[in-house]
Amino acid sequence: MSRPFSPTKVVRVDLELPLRPLEIEERYASALLVVAWHGRVVGQVSVPAVSPLPADVQRAAIVRRLADAIWRAELERAFHAAVGANVRSRDQPSVSVVVCTRDRPDDLERCLRSLLLLEPAPVEIVVVDSAPTSDTTRALCADLPVRYTVEPIAGLSRARNRGILATTGDVIAFTDDDCVVDPAWLAGIGARLADPRVGLVTGVVVPLELETPAQQLFEARGGFGRGYARIVLDGAQIGPMTSVGRIGAGANFVVRRSAIERVGAFAEWLGSGTPAGAAEEYDLFCRLLAAGDRLVFDPEQIVWHRHRRDTGALQRTLFAYARGSTAYATQRVLLDGDLGAARILQWWWLRHLPRELVRIAARDRGRSELRLLLAEALGTLSGPFGLWTSRRSRRDVRQLDLPKPGSPVAAARPTVAREAGSVSVVVPTRDRAASLERLLRELALQSYPPERLEAVVVLDGTGDDSAAVASSLDVPYRVTVRALDRVGVGAARNAGTAAATGDIVVFLDDDVVPRPDCVERHAAAHRRGSPCVALGYAPPVVDGSWWGLALRAWWEDHFTRKADPGRTVRWSDVITLNSSFRRSLLLEHGGFDEQFARRHEDWELGVRLVEAGVRLRYVGDAVVAHELDCSFEAALGRQRQEARADVLLARRHPVVGRELPLVTVLGAGRETPRPNGDAATAAELERRGRRGAWRRLTRALLREAYLAGVRDELPTAEAVEELATIVAAVPPVALAVSLDGGGRPPRVPPIGTVELALEIDGEVVARVPPGPPGFPWDWDTALAQVEREASDELRAAMIRRLLASRAEAGPAEVEATHAS
Amino acid sequence: MRRELTDLELTSPARAPTPAAAGVLRTTVRLQGTPIGVVETVGAESPLARALARYGRRLYAELVVPHPDHTVTPPTITAVVCTRDRPDTLEGCLDALARLRYPAFDVLVVDNDPSDDRTRAVALRAGARYVREPCPGLDRARNRALAEASGSVVAYVDDDARPEAGWLAAIARGLASPEVGAVAGLVLPAELETDAQLLFEDVYGGMGKGFDLRLVSGRTRPTPLRPETVGTGCNMAFRREVLLSLGGFDPALDVGTATGGGGDLDAFQRVREGGWTIAYRPDAVVRHLHRRSEDALARQLFDNGRGYSAALFAALLRAPGGDRGRVVARYGHWLASWHGRRILRRLAGRERLPLRFLLAELRGAPLGPFLYLKARRDARATTRGDRRA
């Protein structure tokens, strides 16, 4: 007894506009409303069809099903507006669009016509004709303002690589020929890529039509659905294999050219058109995650996909997905030794296929069919064979080469004014002769006139030939060496300042490599205006180890926060690593506190400078590459030093006490689990690809090291209690955030714990910390906290506000709704 | 314990009901007239705060999503009350009908097999049109109204029900699409004074079908056969042409015949089978006086049982060969999931409806088919008798 098939009409509904009755043709039994709220898809709602479909029926169904999604979207919008996050200038990068096609001119034409409506228009649209059998695609492209290239060798990956070679934009957007893009597909890409760690953005893929049983089956089995909430996968946090399936498919993604250049192009033995059949985008996603990038799924980036119309084609597609996926997993497990990829096989055989079998057994015919299950099962079984044949077939074909990542662009030669002040570069160092030598040589290449430049090398204890290296180098500028006997970093910097002769002191750590214009940029920052502290950018250079990725993530996020145009530079942003001060300013404020022998001497100074009203400036174009020590053992040592310095700092300046990770220790004596292993265990876990266990273990180890550091300084419970009381006595600073569209964006104070006072109509509805206590925060973490902690109160207050405005509208309106 | 019934219009919180010092307050929460839900508060608790906490998610969306423009040309509607020897109850209903806000309607009272003239007097005093249907049977009376009605839409309300002022306007909005053949509305209790009324409303489920506006599409196959989820006879409206083309109500069903009920369900089912869509409107509100005594309630549940199974049996007789299995399956499902499950839960102590009422409804279940055949025979005899006369 089979249910007669009836198609579903797919309609996009923009909910912020009044709904209109919809004409639904006779053949449709239902309508699928794809609901957008201010340009972002918040969900889909299925409604029984009548024609015209009254607006109030649509509205009722949408309100019933999507109330939560609408609230979340509105809260986010109100919050962004309140803090001014959405009005900041986000440069639109240059975007190239690549569409690969093979003998589907009708679909392609529809796709290209939608691409031509993109607002803003991309710099170019590149059509790659993959191993064409006729001239129709070429003829079609001749009539349209698109660039046409042919790739004679079959395979989607190959075609995509060819497309990349043909593009010039900084960002490359991919879609498929059976897709239609939303006019605003790329409108928000600048904001989405504002975080430099985001390498790739995927988006929503909604069905273009649901006319046939095959299309409905595909959609009912999940389709390309990935939900409608923004997802951020952080490669520095998670293993790629476990999560990459959550963020999307190859029909809709945008990638930075630099990211592709870093991790390499598409693997040409994968993807449709090869015996392996699919999985080329997952390979790229996984490699990006493994490189520590962030991958984002953004529901504002919308593409409509025409699913396969007949069941045979659907069967072949599902077969190809299963085969490609298992072929890829087999290659990762067997050839690359990545045991984590076994999870893909586990998902197919232990989760997906049994679940489908249960559905079929339960006769859930709308959702599954035996032949589709068989296609998938066969696909997974033939995966290893697909791997073999696919790699064999590519043996004689050279993968297309992409250009290697360019070296940082050399700065233009100096435009340094003659009257520029003299600059002293102070380099405190201890037993790192090699990196010291490299730094001093790089300083010789600076664009700043060498006669106005000197280097003051402060040797904080001498165990190697650093002194000899520093004094024997032949460099155009003057080098002064001060050798001290392990006085600590604060004292070393003070000694350097004292020995310096320049007006401006630039601190560079010995593990950095400055760009040629670095000193010049620092000097320029001090040229005019009130005295300030200039803080430069230090992109981290790490190895590919998991700890290295975590370090890079920490540092990049630190600089992204500083670079945020709506943000005040705060005391904790004062990092001496790559910074400059007017020498007189340093002397006036007494330089660094010499008690801070190991760490946080810069933060301590930062607190005093902020309290004295000195302006802090982030100078993002003063760049040094920061070669980080990525060994986890070293990190544990540093963590302990950091804890001791935190205690010192909290004692000296209780006002920042609550902004230090110390608060998590001072608070109620929460027992932390003992780490079940040590750094060696962590290394073993990394070797075996156990990302989750590694993350838990390293966290526990770091916490243990931190606790040990705290105990060094505060050995007794009374001492802890005493410091806790001092820190708790400082009240947080309330930062008014008015969510009703009135009020100005809040200015974050440069010092003091912040608490967001969320206001509606001038009344504080809720108070929420902007992030987890003791850690740096940004507006994204603040929004997450608001959603978690104050959602219900805010909604109730918003409802009261809306109700009050309705009441003012008067009873006439009520009357009207009654009497139609 | 009795519940005091009030209304809270969210857009005029100034007129919010004052919390009673003692007792339980049951508040219908409304947004610009449309009921959103019901909250119950004890003592000094504020119904407004309770409503915001409970319906916050939906309310927020209701308030920010812009309202579409309603420009419905109001159809002419005949509001029909079928009654039998209850002039006092009828009077309350006619009072409520007199307060309706709608530009084009008239009221028709059908007096079913009356034993005296009191009904006629009440109807004429209220300014309603009065017709008499001598043959007993609610569906006969409904058919008489269908024949006599002057409006293009016939809206039925029971004599023990009190429509709210916006009732017909909401029905008109429900008929905005020409594919909609019938509209069912929300039924709320008019009073909750006795245990029997509370049992019926809260434990049995009452007559309300929820606060969600929805369509039951005529474009899909009318399965599973669940007309009881669509609406109820004390608040339903049909396009006159649609019902006439389907042959009107089945005279072998509902009160006054051997089957004792099911006429409304059968009508909904046939409207669906005819390819028409049914709209459910929570803004078309009728208040219903539930049975006050437990005996009357038990009687009503017995009627529900036999009426439902009779309506199913009528559907079975009508069904084309291939569909009969589904109707029988539906009957089995009804016995198992509605009756069996509740009785088992009751025995396990997890069902609040006393066994007496559960069994009353179950008792009607096996009788339905036989009663239907008998009632059909009776109805045919009466019709023949009519013709002869």
Side-chain angles (χ1 to χ4, degrees), chain B residues 67-114:
Chain B
H67 271 277
D69 305 326
H70 277 305
T71 42
V72 181
T73 356
T76 52
I77 304 183
T78 300
V80 175
V81 195
C82 301
T83 184
R84 187 178 189 184
D85 292 340
R86 289 206 287 191
D88 298 341
T89 316
L90 174 68
E91 197 163 10
C93 179
L94 291 177
D95 280 351
L97 286 171
R99 283 195 292 271
L100 285 181
R101 280 197 301 264
Y102 191 72
F105 79 104
D106 62 327
V107 178
L108 174 64
V109 174
V110 184
D111 199 359
N112 194 194
D113 184 24

Side-chain angles (χ1 to χ4, degrees), chain A residues 25 56 59 68 807 817-818, chain B residues 11 57 62 65 169 173 219:
Chain A
E25 292 78 356
D56 53 359
R59 188 176 184 280
D68 267 350
T817 59
H818 270 293
Chain B
T11 51
R57 287 155 196 278
E62 288 279 0
V65 175
R173 285 198 292 275
R219 291 192 184 184

Side-chain angles (χ1 to χ4, degrees), chain A residues 429-434 436 457 459 462 464-471 481:
Chain A
T429 179
R430 177 183 285 178
D431 301 344
R432 281 203 276 203
L436 177 64
V457 177
L459 302 169
T462 44
D464 64 359
D465 53 353
S466 295
V469 166
S471 40
V481 181

Side-chain angles (χ1 to χ4, degrees), chain A residues 65 67 92 112 185 232 279 373 414 517 527 537 621 625 655 706:
Chain A
R65 294 280 308 282
Q92 185 75 8
L112 292 179
W185 186 39
V232 179
L373 174 76
D517 60 343
R527 197 164 303 150
Y537 174 42
D621 49 8
V655 64
Y706 193 86

Side-chain angles (χ1 to χ4, degrees), chain A residues 402-733:
Chain A
L402 297 186
K404 289 282 157 262
S407 54
V409 186
R413 268 322 275 182
T415 50
V416 186
R418 288 289 97 186
E419 70 276 15
S422 51
V423 174
S424 300
V425 176
V426 174
V427 185
T429 179
R430 177 183 285 178
D431 301 344
R432 281 203 276 203
S435 47
L436 177 64
E437 182 179 346
R438 184 185 52 196
L439 171 58
L440 293 177
R441 284 189 194 286
E442 289 289 333
L443 280 178
L445 305 177
Q446 285 295 311
S447 58
Y448 208 71
E451 63 276 16
R452 289 164 195 278
L453 183 66
E454 70 164 348
V456 180
V457 177
V458 186
L459 302 169
D460 184 16
T462 44
D464 64 359
D465 53 353
S466 295
V469 166
S471 40
S472 66
L473 271 183
D474 178 27
V475 287
Y477 54 87
R478 193 150 52 87
V479 179
T480 313
V481 181
R482 282 277 177 281
L484 302 171
D485 183 25
R486 286 185 170 259
V487 291
V489 65
R493 290 194 196 280
N494 283 345
T497 315
T501 57
D503 305 329
I504 291 158
V505 177
V506 177
F507 288 105
L508 292 182
D509 281 4
D510 57 7
D511 52 359
V512 304
V513 180
R515 265 206 337 215
D517 60 343
C518 176
V519 170
E520 185 191 336
R521 301 286 178 194
H522 271 296
H526 291 279
R527 197 164 303 150
R528 34 173 197 279
S530 55
C532 73
V533 176
L535 304 162
Y537 174 42
V541 179
V542 296
D543 59 21
S545 70
W546 287 350
W547 181 246
L549 295 182
L551 280 179
R552 181 167 87 98
W554 189 92
W555 279 103
E556 287 287 11
D557 290 347
H558 171 87
F559 290 116
T560 307
R561 277 195 297 275
K562 269 196 235 190
D564 188 338
R567 161 130 182 159
T568 326
V569 181
R570 313 193 71 230
W571 65 273
S572 54
D573 294 328
V574 179
I575 303 259
T576 31
L577 169 67
N578 169 21
S579 61
S580 61
F581 303 74
R582 213 168 260 286
R583 185 160 169 269
S584 56
L585 183 84
L586 269 180
L587 294 175
E588 183 191 328
H589 288 94
F592 294 91
D593 185 331
E594 303 197 351
Q595 228 189 324
F596 287 76
R598 297 300 298 167
R599 310 191 69 79
H600 292 352
E601 81 290 348
D602 40 11
W603 280 4
E604 197 279 333
L605 178 65
V607 173
R608 277 183 288 131
L609 293 177
V610 165
E611 286 183 336
V614 176
R615 213 155 44 91
L616 308 178
R617 278 184 61 188
Y618 177 63
V619 186
D621 49 8
V623 183
V624 300
H626 188 196
E627 308 258 354
L628 288 166
D629 176 0
C630 301
S631 97
F632 185 65
E633 287 87 347
L636 289 177
R638 280 199 303 271
Q639 186 77 356
R640 187 160 179 169
Q641 293 164 4
E642 221 151 82
R644 303 181 60 171
D646 279 355
V647 174
L648 278 182
L649 189 60
R651 276 207 190 118
R652 180 74 42 84
H653 302 289
V655 64
V656 300
R658 282 208 237 183
E659 294 188 72
L660 299 170
L662 201 56
V663 285
T664 61
V665 181
L666 293 181
R670 243 187 309 144
E671 276 304 306
T672 44
R674 299 267 315 154
N676 51 352
D678 54 14
T681 324
E684 173 62 17
L685 286 174
E686 177 165 0
R687 210 181 53 72
R688 281 163 45 201
R690 305 269 311 276
R691 192 58 170 265
W694 178 88
R695 195 172 61 229
R696 283 189 293 278
L697 177 60
T698 49
R699 261 189 205 159
L701 286 170
L702 286 168
R703 179 146 180 100
E704 194 186 46
Y706 193 86
L707 284 171
V710 173
R711 269 196 302 274
D712 291 344
E713 293 291 324
L714 303 169
T716 63
E718 291 79 56
V720 174
E721 185 61 31
E722 188 189 348
L723 185 58
T725 322
I726 296 172
V727 168
V730 184
V733 183

Side-chain angles (χ1 to χ4, degrees), chain A residues 295-339:
Chain A
L295 266 55
V296 173
F297 166 81
D298 196 304
E300 280 179 39
Q301 187 175 306
I302 308 165
V303 156
W304 304 75
H305 179 258
R306 183 188 59 71
H307 301 334
R308 302 280 178 278
R309 287 205 177 113
D310 63 285
T311 316
L314 174 61
Q315 234 170 312
R316 286 192 292 280
T317 305
L318 293 179
F319 175 82
Y321 285 168
R323 181 173 175 143
S325 162
T326 36
Y328 176 58
T330 315
Q331 115 115 22
R332 295 290 304 162
V333 173
L334 294 185
L335 304 183
D336 305 344
D338 172 11
L339 297 177

Side-chain angles (χ1 to χ4, degrees), chain B residues 298-351:
Chain B
R299 177 91 202 150
Q300 186 191 351
L301 294 190
F302 171 68
D303 284 352
N304 280 4
R306 58 178 173 157
Y308 188 81
S309 71
L312 265 184
F313 186 67
L316 179 68
L317 296 183
R318 226 172 27 238
D323 273 3
R324 287 193 190 132
R326 307 173 76 87
V327 183
V328 173
R330 172 71 209 128
Y331 185 78
H333 186 258
W334 176 63
L335 282 181
S337 78
W338 179 240
H339 292 287
R341 202 175 57 93
R342 284 191 312 163
I343 289 171
L344 288 179
R345 281 170 58 91
R346 177 73 206 181
L347 297 177
R350 286 190 294 133
E351 164 70 46

